[in-house]
Amino acid sequence: MKSFNTDQHGHSAAESGDVYAMSDPTKNVDDDGREKRTGTWLTASAHIITAVIGSGVLSLAWAIAQLGWIAGTLILIIFSFITYFTSTMLADCYRAPDPLTGKRNYTYMDVVRSYLGGRKVQLCGVAQYGNLIGITVGYTITASISLVAIGKANCYHNKGHHADCTISNYPYMAAFGIIQILLSQIPNFHKLSFLSLMAAVMSFAYASIGIGLAIATVAGVDVTAAQKIWRSFQAVGDIAFAYAYATDTLRSSPAENKAMKRASFVGVSTTTFFYILCGCLGYAAFGNKAPGDFLTDFGFYEPFWLIDFANACIAFHLIGAYQVFAQPIFQFVEKKCNRNWPDNKFITSEYSVNIPFLGKFNINLFRLVWRTAYVVITTLVAMIFPFFNAILGLIGAASFWPLTVYFPVEMHIAQTKVKKYSPRWIGLKMLCWVCLIVSLLAAAGSIAGLISSVKTYKPFRTIHE
């Protein structure tokens, strides 16, 4: 086992641009001395699809059921347009001050620091990392629900649809957590492309299965007026959650902003197509009885083997998607610690270990302990709060406005120097205010749904209870 140190910022020799530590530095580092980025618009599209087509798509039939055909479809299209529009602004802010030749910003907080500064950097950090943490918790919940659904599908097939097929989520959450502990030792985000590509394929697979089953089924539990209002607000939050995604580290040729805009267009348009199909066809199949998750809440029972396969695809997808959202958290903490304690061997030392069948692998003790602790904590939180739709709506409401709308718009105004009170300035500000009001209403609906879920929750329950 061989030990070597990273630099004071937590980068290895390749990442920090140490030409003496590499045999061919021109092939390993970029023009700013960092490790050469290998991302393309294709891998970025895969990351977007991996992040977007996930637990969000599973609740869209329920969301359309709360909002109705016209309003539900219209809100889906509006959210997709807003997401794409603001993502193009964010892509132009990757470099500062010029979108083509300026200094690169490697994190969302760095971008906000370059254009806005002050307390807004801290507010961005709270919103961004709070959102990422919430999503990793949500994905742990969703993956366990899908794994439980496989066991239930087999039970219902063998014993009948009204059998007592009680299965606990907890062992599956623990198993998912163990897998994530292992995957979390992958040191860099851009080395996860293989996971994202696999997860993107899984996304298409289970979304297509859901669409096919809905087409094959095509029809309520009525609710009070007050419940309908709160559920409508929560449904908007679910749709907002469905359009949250992370970005990739793109190589510099072609220009990163152009590649990211192309990736955003491909990712958002593809997922919107699947969302409309899943949401509308799911509503057509179930009407007002549309379940919160029409694959795991057993909107369909047969063919049971196809339900099993779809839920297995969901679980495999979320294994990769968890890492897409967790890696920025890992790297933020590790970068901070390396900067604050550059001489601490526990934090900075790397050990080269030969692993059978895998070859050499670099292990850092701090990374091992910290990332393991994070996965354990998120798994425990998921076990304590295993409520699906309300969690999704609350995360979507809390994160959509600041990260998808407010900061990209404010940075665009600062970058392009939009004149105050001009028609464009007024239009952008109105977009911010309207989205803020929608987010607040969605948050209120999600909180109401969460309270209701807490009151009725049973750790061991069947689908018919």
Side-chain angles (χ1 to χ4, degrees):
M1 185 166 66
K2 182 181 177 183
S3 171
F4 56 93
N5 291 336
T6 57
D7 68 10
Q8 64 178 340
H9 298 295
H11 304 300
S12 64
E15 291 172 350
S16 59
D18 184 354
V19 296
Y20 298 104
M22 299 175 294
S23 59
D24 191 351
T26 59
K27 291 185 178 180
N28 293 316
V29 297
D30 227 322
D31 54 9
D32 56 3
R34 285 187 174 236
E35 186 175 0
K36 188 178 287 292
R37 288 151 310 181
T38 57
T40 65
W41 70 268
L42 186 61
T43 59
S45 298
H47 279 315
I48 292 170
I49 292 170
T50 298
V52 178
I53 300 184
S55 50
V57 73
L58 305 176
S59 66
L60 290 180
W62 179 90
I64 298 293
Q66 310 312 309
L67 298 166
W69 287 110
I70 297 176
T73 306
L74 186 62
I75 288 175
L76 271 172
I77 294 172
I78 289 173
F79 269 98
S80 68
F81 173 78
I82 292 172
T83 301
Y84 174 69
F85 178 61
T86 57
S87 70
T88 61
M89 296 179 180
L90 191 58
D92 283 334
C93 292
Y94 174 61
R95 287 176 178 260
D98 186 89
L100 297 177
T101 61
K103 177 181 174 293
R104 291 188 183 94
N105 295 290
Y106 288 91
T107 68
Y108 203 137
M109 289 178 68
D110 286 343
V111 179
V112 175
R113 185 178 291 108
S114 296
Y115 287 99
L116 303 178
R119 290 187 177 275
K120 291 181 180 179
V121 179
Q122 284 71 40
L123 291 174
C124 172
V126 171
Q128 182 187 9
Y129 292 105
N131 175 52
L132 294 175
I133 292 169
I135 290 173
T136 56
V137 172
Y139 281 3
T140 303
I141 296 169
T142 309
S144 70
I145 290 173
S146 295
L147 292 170
V148 165
I150 294 174
K152 286 185 175 181
N154 295 332
C155 175
Y156 290 138
H157 175 73
N158 293 325
K159 298 181 180 180
H161 297 173
H162 295 281
D164 182 5
C165 296
T166 303
I167 301 176
S168 172
N169 290 19
Y170 298 150
Y172 295 97
M173 288 186 187
F176 183 83
I178 291 170
I179 293 171
Q180 294 305 331
I181 287 173
L182 297 175
L183 291 176
S184 292
Q185 299 314 307
I186 297 173
N188 297 312
F189 180 78
H190 63 269
K191 296 187 185 299
L192 291 172
S193 294
F194 75 96
L195 272 179
S196 282
L197 290 171
M198 177 202 75
V201 172
M202 296 296 102
S203 301
F204 286 122
Y206 70 73
S208 299
I209 290 170
I211 290 169
L213 290 171
I215 291 173
T217 301
V218 184
V221 178
D222 295 326
V223 296
T224 65
Q227 287 176 319
K228 190 69 174 179
I229 292 172
W230 288 119
R231 289 185 179 186
S232 296
F233 292 156
Q234 183 182 330
V236 174
D238 285 357
I239 293 173
F241 174 85
Y243 280 104
Y245 65 87
T247 57
D248 194 6
T249 49
L250 300 169
R251 62 190 182 199
S252 56
S253 181
E256 295 99 334
N257 65 331
K258 291 182 179 179
M260 195 62 223
K261 287 177 182 178
R262 185 178 184 184
S264 296
F265 177 77
V266 171
V268 173
S269 59
T270 300
T271 54
T272 299
F273 173 74
F274 272 91
Y275 281 1
I276 291 175
L277 284 179
C278 283
C280 292
L281 289 174
Y283 181 41
F286 302 111
N288 287 339
K289 295 181 181 179
D293 173 343
F294 65 70
L295 282 177
T296 62
D297 282 350
F298 291 91
F300 311 101
Y301 288 93
E302 300 291 343
F304 79 100
W305 57 268
L306 189 60
I307 306 299
D308 285 353
F309 179 72
N311 281 301
C313 287
I314 295 171
F316 275 113
H317 165 258
L318 294 178
I319 286 172
Y322 183 103
Q323 287 298 315
V324 169
F325 287 100
Q327 285 285 331
I329 304 170
F330 297 155
Q331 293 172 20
F332 172 75
V333 171
E334 288 155 19
K335 190 175 181 181
K336 278 277 188 184
C337 291
N338 273 280
R339 186 184 298 122
N340 293 335
W341 299 286
D343 299 322
N344 189 309
K345 301 297 184 183
F346 175 72
I347 294 174
T348 61
S349 293
E350 297 265 351
Y351 300 92
S352 181
V353 179
N354 282 316
I355 300 177
F357 308 110
L358 296 177
K360 287 187 177 180
F361 191 79
N362 294 335
I363 293 178
N364 172 271
L365 293 179
F366 174 68
R367 183 168 65 231
L368 178 64
V369 173
W370 140 242
R371 295 188 180 193
T372 300
Y374 176 86
V375 174
V376 170
I377 291 170
T378 55
T379 302
L380 290 175
V381 172
M383 290 178 174
I384 296 170
F385 300 106
F387 315 116
F388 184 60
N389 271 19
I391 291 287
L392 295 190
L394 190 57
I395 293 171
S399 63
F400 180 81
W401 181 75
L403 298 177
T404 306
V405 182
Y406 176 74
F407 285 118
V409 167
E410 289 297 311
M411 289 188 292
H412 173 76
I413 290 173
Q415 182 189 54
T416 58
K417 296 178 173 59
V418 178
K419 187 176 180 180
K420 199 171 185 179
Y421 301 119
S422 66
R424 182 172 179 81
W425 184 90
I426 293 172
L428 291 171
K429 289 291 185 179
M430 284 182 64
L431 174 64
C432 282
W433 280 106
V434 169
C435 288
L436 174 60
I437 292 170
V438 171
S439 293
L440 291 174
L441 291 173
S446 297
I447 291 170
L450 190 58
I451 292 171
S452 175
S453 296
V454 170
K455 289 180 178 178
T456 59
Y457 175 65
K458 297 178 182 179
F460 300 92
R461 66 187 187 279
T462 66
I463 197 68
H464 300 292
E465 288 184 292

